[in-house]
């Protein structure tokens, strides 16, 4: 089958790999019908050591169940399913607490002998705990929005939850990529009164406004902090969503948080330390967030997608076939596209 | 009147200063009957630039109201009162939210023209918002425990609250100083099942056990992390109280937190950055806490002190007179004393 591998910075290829097959009784075999490229894929795309082995890519997908192992009970052949970006057993203490990303039997797509999502098929470990059946046909018009439940919408939601967004909150979102845009959707959905997005790409900030952003701050660094303070009567935002991961963006997020507020960080950190140990101490600003347990949120978000109350699929502004994946990476890296969907 | 000033590292003196007097209609004049030395006083005691002006010291005190400004309504002459370590107006939005340390009219003792607590008397700004009347005589046997409501007990409680301690929690406390010990009391009071204290001074860890600690870890750094993991089935503690403030202790705190758990940090940070941006991200560990709004907690903790359910005053193991304050600093710095009380 065809699948995506990353060999080095800028060097992504679609190649023949061994066909995905069931290998454990808890596996399912899923034929991928939709997948996509993640902003977090761009970090290794920029930096991967070319001497390390090629790495299977992709961790967001929807597909049709083609086969199941003997122990699988919650999905059947022919089911249309969505997979979160971490697989999990659904039964351990962490899964019961909604922290599926810390599942004791969980893991990441594309690691070891586990397939990546940017390919024709995937062996899904822990199928019962991982997959969620979608009550729609495989070519449903909602596919883009349903696909975001794999990661980007759940990640934006996680940031909003961990930042403590509630009815009436003033929220700031640092970053206008697909996660930041989904953070806007999540903040609006949780009742935020005011949503300030920090970004400078008008196509994206225009979409943010359609999703519910009330203010756009194009400045960066100190100027951005000053502008957010000005917009909030000198106080800052109750809840800040950090959707980039760089040290500078995290520092901006901490500086624009109101005393007693919180930062929900979901940008994969490209920094070793969290800045502002003293600043956050004096302001009692909580730093929360992390890798989003997308599986935990699918049940809650799915009805809103199915009934059209949220449209996170609008973050996809380009659709390509599997052979065009290298160009999809290039387009996202060069900010030609917000987020690229892969359809067979 | 006599008051304490810090001139440089190790150079603390008791000197004559101008008598405290009412200067604003919202002031009260309090004759100090009990004050103390704080672990956080030891940071400037170790490091103060001798070329900077002498600094008035002390931010924890109980006393008798000697005079009030014309606008003061909640305290009267003769009242026995406790002051939290930050003064606040009690009326702004932050005070209403329980974040008195961010009060728009608040401030710190010993800064500018505000007296420090380690002296004979204090002009208390924002007296209505700041002072709490104690329903006991000035020489009540509970004075040591009541004095801890100024700071150290409220600070331990803040750490426990921000670390998310609840019924059944496994809690780890990093640091066996007075704040760490009060953190143990707070964790026990909030229902923790298991309380692991990290410390190596047996007098202190013995007291921690009396306060409710179930385990003592004397190791430091990686060995301490390994030991806490071993004690918690490999998982770590749900809630971690960081009561030191050094980069190393904060890193230990983050490493011993269970995935999905939280660190409540109340040790005044001696580090610019919070370590472990990636570690906390992968584990979804929340970093919370900060300077404790002690005023917010007095109403909740006072009944437990008055009725003897908690005895935080046991952290005081030495009582001195005002002229002995320099030796009190020395004793705490050399760990001869856990916490030193000053009585007239």
């Amino acid at each position: 089958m065809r699948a995506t591998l990353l060999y080095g910075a800028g060097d992504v290829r679609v190649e023949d790999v061994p066909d995905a097959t069931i290998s454990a009784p808890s596996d399912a075999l899923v034929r991928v019908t939709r997948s996509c490229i993640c902003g977090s894929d761009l970090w290794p795309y920029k930096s991967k050591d070319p001497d390390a082995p090629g790495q299977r890519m992709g961790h967001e997908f929807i597909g049709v169940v083609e086969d199941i192992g003997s122990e699988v009970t919650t999905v059947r052949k022919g089911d249309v399913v969505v997979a979160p970006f971490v697989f999990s057993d659904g039964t351990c203490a962490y899964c019961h607490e909604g922290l599926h990303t810390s599942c004791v039997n969980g893991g990441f797509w594309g690691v070891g002998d586990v397939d990546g999502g940017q390919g024709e098929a995937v062996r899904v470990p822990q199928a019962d705990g991982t997959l969620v059946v979608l009550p729609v046909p495989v070519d449903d018009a909602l596919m883009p929005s349903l696909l975001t439940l794999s990661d980007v919408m759940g990640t934006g939601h996680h940031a909003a939850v961990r930042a403590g967004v509630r009815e009436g909150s003033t929220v700031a979102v640092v970053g206008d990529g697909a996660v930041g845009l989904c953070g806007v959707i999540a903040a609006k959905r949780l009742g935020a009164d005011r949503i300030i997005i920090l970004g400078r790409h008008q196509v994206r900030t225009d979409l943010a406004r359609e999703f519910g952003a009330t203010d756009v701050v194009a400045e960066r660094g100190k100027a951005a902090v000053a502008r957010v303070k000005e917009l909030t009567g000198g106080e800052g935002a109750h809840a800040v969503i950090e959707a980039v991961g760089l040290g500078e963006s995290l520092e901006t997020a901490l500086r624009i948080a109101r005393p007693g507020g919180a930062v929900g960080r979901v940008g994969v950190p490209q920094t070793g330390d969290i800045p502002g140990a003293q600043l956050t101490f004096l302001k009692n600003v909580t730093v929360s967030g992390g890798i989003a347990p997308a599986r935990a949120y699918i049940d809650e978000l799915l009805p809103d997608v199915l009934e059209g109350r949220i449209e996170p699929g609008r973050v996809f502004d380009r659709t390509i076939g599997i052979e065009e994946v290298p160009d999809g990476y290039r387009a996202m890296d060069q900010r030609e596209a917000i987020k690229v969907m892969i359809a067979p």
Side-chain angles (χ1 to χ4, degrees), chain A:
Chain A
M1 68 178 196
R2 303 289 284 170
T4 302
L5 286 102
L6 179 69
Y7 284 95
D11 182 9
V12 63
R13 307 177 204 166
V14 178
E15 297 185 338
D16 288 321
V17 301
D19 282 348
T21 53
I22 299 283
S23 68
S26 52
D27 287 350
L29 177 64
V30 172
R31 177 76 36 193
V32 175
T33 58
R34 288 288 191 289
S35 66
C36 52
I37 302 171
C38 183
S40 70
D41 291 335
L42 298 180
W43 295 122
Y45 180 74
K46 288 182 208 291
S47 65
K48 182 176 178 296
D49 173 5
D51 293 334
Q55 181 184 330
R56 292 282 292 275
M57 297 298 289
H59 52 257
E60 303 155 279
F61 61 96
I62 280 174
V64 177
V65 176
E66 213 166 71
D67 198 4
I68 56 172
S70 59
E71 292 175 3
V72 174
T73 61
T74 64
V75 299
R76 291 180 304 185
K77 288 182 197 178
D79 280 346
V80 178
V81 291
V82 61
F85 73 92
V86 170
F87 61 82
S88 53
D89 65 15
T91 57
C92 77
Y94 291 107
C95 287
H96 280 296
E97 292 168 24
L99 197 69
H100 299 69
T101 42
S102 292
C103 173
V104 298
N105 291 307
F108 292 91
W109 306 110
V111 174
D113 66 345
V114 179
D115 300 299
Q118 293 162 7
E120 292 186 295
V122 173
R123 175 180 74 84
V124 175
Q126 305 294 342
D128 278 339
T130 302
L131 297 172
V132 177
V133 176
L134 298 173
V136 292
V138 73
D139 56 354
D140 194 276
L142 289 173
M143 276 301 147
S145 285
L146 292 166
L147 179 58
T148 69
L149 298 177
S150 265
D151 180 344
V152 62
M153 184 61 218
T155 294
H157 179 69
H158 185 58
V161 169
R162 289 302 187 104
V165 177
R166 64 193 70 176
E167 205 69 45
S169 294
T170 292
V171 180
V173 179
V174 180
D176 59 7
V179 171
L181 294 169
C182 287
V184 171
I185 295 174
K188 176 83 178 166
R189 182 178 171 279
L190 292 168
D193 229 26
R194 191 160 185 195
I195 303 171
I196 302 164
I197 186 159
L198 281 71
R200 47 175 57 188
H201 297 85
Q202 203 186 334
V203 171
R204 300 172 182 213
T205 56
D206 283 352
L207 186 54
R209 284 192 191 273
E210 292 184 45
F211 284 156
T214 53
D215 303 86
V216 173
V217 170
E219 290 87 346
R220 281 194 184 165
K222 284 183 183 172
V225 174
R227 182 77 185 117
V228 173
K229 290 279 179 73
E230 187 187 323
L231 287 169
T232 54
E235 294 202 332
H238 299 105
V240 182
I241 292 173
E242 200 289 321
V244 179
L246 295 172
E248 187 194 341
S249 57
L250 185 51
E251 183 165 344
T252 297
L254 297 169
R255 289 192 181 280
I256 62 179
R258 183 177 181 276
V263 173
R265 63 193 184 107
V266 288
V268 179
Q270 305 303 307
T271 171
D273 293 333
I274 297 169
Q278 296 176 18
L279 168 77
T280 50
F281 190 86
L282 284 172
K283 295 203 300 181
N284 270 284
V285 164
T286 294
V287 185
S288 191
I291 182 171
R295 178 64 188 83
Y297 300 131
I298 293 177
D299 295 342
E300 177 180 350
L301 297 171
L302 180 57
D304 280 13
V305 169
L306 291 174
E307 290 159 35
R309 284 190 290 273
I310 59 174
E311 298 179 293
R314 294 176 66 193
V315 299
F316 293 110
D317 55 353
R318 185 172 297 193
T319 302
I320 60 175
I322 181 80
E323 300 301 332
E324 297 162 274
V325 167
D327 192 59
Y329 273 77
R330 186 202 54 74
M332 277 181 62
D333 187 47
Q334 296 181 1
R335 291 179 177 268
E336 275 177 25
I338 303 176
K339 193 168 172 75
V340 172
M341 183 159 63
I342 306 161

